[in-house]
Amino acid sequence: MSRRTKHYWLMKSEPDAFSIDALKKVGVEPWNGVRNYQARNHMRNMQPGDGVLFYHSSCEVPGIVGVAEVASDPYPDPTQFDPKSDYYDPKSTREQPRWDLVDVKFVKKLKRTIPLDEIKGHADELGEGFALIQRGSRLSVLPVTAAQWKLLLSLE
DNA sequence: GCCAACGTTGGC
DNA sequence: GCCAACGTTGGC
């Protein structure tokens, strides 16, 4: 594993399923259940220490609610092998796993939610390519530039 | 390899 | 709860 500069990401979670408060409680959580290749590929590019914006989706006020940190290298998502899991993937084998994940560690909860609504208001500064505010984008794990990271957290 | 049908995401 | 947008599946 080679050292490199810190990278930044945004990860979505439905608070009913797993909220920032839940992460605070457990401290570290394996980010299992991602079954989208693009999102998986982003996780494969993660390294311990990378910054994560924790985002609540499908809820009353969708938006960024906290900061977390990548706490492991990518490794195969164990739920893909478990027939009893909702995330079971019969096409995945231990020899050739399809789905990887990383552990995510709680850093802090923001004093307030930064609503998607408000984030959209900064579209010019964030740039056209920011997947979070792209029309129709459903990507649940996406890269954030250092400049975007700084701007978004300055809104707190 | 095309594309219709289907399932899922996620804002509203 | 609705539905637009997107990704995946599978018949041909």
Side-chain angles (χ1 to χ4, degrees):
Chain A
M1 183 184 80
S2 62
R3 285 178 61 87
R4 57 144 169 72
T5 54
K6 181 170 174 173
H7 287 194
Y8 301 97
W9 312 91
L10 182 145
M11 299 172 91
K12 296 181 185 174
S13 183
E14 298 187 20
D16 286 349
F18 189 72
S19 68
I20 187 70
D21 291 324
L23 181 62
K24 184 176 184 178
K25 206 166 180 178
V26 296
V28 180
E29 176 79 1
W31 204 265
N32 58 33
V34 170
R35 295 294 180 269
N36 169 281
Y37 290 105
Q38 219 181 331
R40 179 205 67 185
N41 292 342
H42 287 315
M43 285 204 289
R44 284 183 172 173
N45 287 325
M46 291 182 180
Q47 285 192 341
D50 281 358
V52 175
L53 295 173
F54 197 109
Y55 179 94
H56 279 175
S57 65
S58 296
C59 55
E60 203 176 335
V61 183
I64 296 166
V65 294
V67 177
E69 190 180 291
V70 176
S72 75
D73 286 313
Y75 63 95
D77 181 343
T79 63
Q80 71 194 302
F81 308 123
D82 178 5
K84 292 191 291 271
S85 169
D86 286 345
Y87 303 127
Y88 178 59
D89 184 347
K91 290 176 186 157
S92 194
T93 65
R94 285 185 188 273
E95 292 71 34
Q96 283 198 308
R98 283 187 162 191
W99 306 109
D100 288 334
L101 54 69
V102 295
D103 292 344
V104 170
K105 184 172 76 180
F106 178 81
V107 173
K108 68 167 181 175
K109 184 178 176 178
L110 300 188
K111 294 185 197 75
R112 69 176 187 106
T113 299
I114 301 169
L116 177 62
D117 230 20
E118 190 176 327
I119 294 168
K120 283 179 175 167
H122 295 270
D124 285 351
E125 303 142 86
L126 291 165
E128 286 289 307
F130 191 41
L132 184 68
I133 54 175
Q134 261 170 9
R135 181 184 157 83
S137 175
R138 304 179 317 185
L139 191 58
S140 65
V141 177
L142 53 115
V144 173
T145 67
Q148 288 165 343
W149 173 274
K150 200 174 158 189
L151 171 70
L152 290 166
L153 288 180
S154 78
L155 302 176
E156 183 187 3

